[in-house]
Amino acid sequence: MTEPVRHRVLLRGNPSSRPDGLERVLVRGGFQVTESAPATPPDLLLYTPGPEVTSVAEEVRLLATDTAFGGAPIFVLLGEGRASAATEALLAGARDA
């Protein structure tokens, strides 16, 4: 029997902006989770901007065009009070926000 595929998730952004237990839930869900850029592009990138980030769109554009990530889909988790940044993130290349 072959071993199931473990999709690789790269976490970027501010760790303190992530929901508590996010990494644990992803690992239990069968994902391989890392915060450092792997040797090969990840299957998806999960970005959590901190409150100090003034332009989520610019950050997403940088992530989307970085060749180290190989065009992996970007998902953005936004904290309270950042709902307006969702549209900006989507227009900048995020798959979902």
Side-chain angles (χ1 to χ4, degrees):
M1 185 180 273
T2 61
E3 191 172 314
V5 174
R6 293 184 67 204
H7 293 285
R8 295 163 297 139
V9 177
L10 177 61
L11 302 177
R12 300 299 285 192
N14 188 329
S16 65
S17 294
R18 294 181 195 137
D20 289 335
L22 175 65
E23 292 90 346
R24 187 175 344 111
V25 169
L26 290 170
V27 169
R28 285 183 180 170
F31 294 97
Q32 181 182 355
V33 180
T34 184
E35 289 189 49
S36 57
T40 57
D43 294 313
L44 68 96
L45 196 146
L46 187 59
Y47 174 57
T48 52
E52 73 283 355
V53 174
T54 57
S55 176
V56 172
E58 184 60 31
E59 294 291 318
V60 170
R61 270 190 217 94
L62 290 172
L63 293 170
T65 58
D66 192 325
T67 57
F69 305 134
I74 301 168
F75 294 83
V76 180
L77 293 178
L78 297 166
E80 288 184 42
R82 308 241 13 211
S84 62
T87 302
E88 295 172 21
L90 292 169
L91 291 171
R95 181 75 51 93
D96 202 353

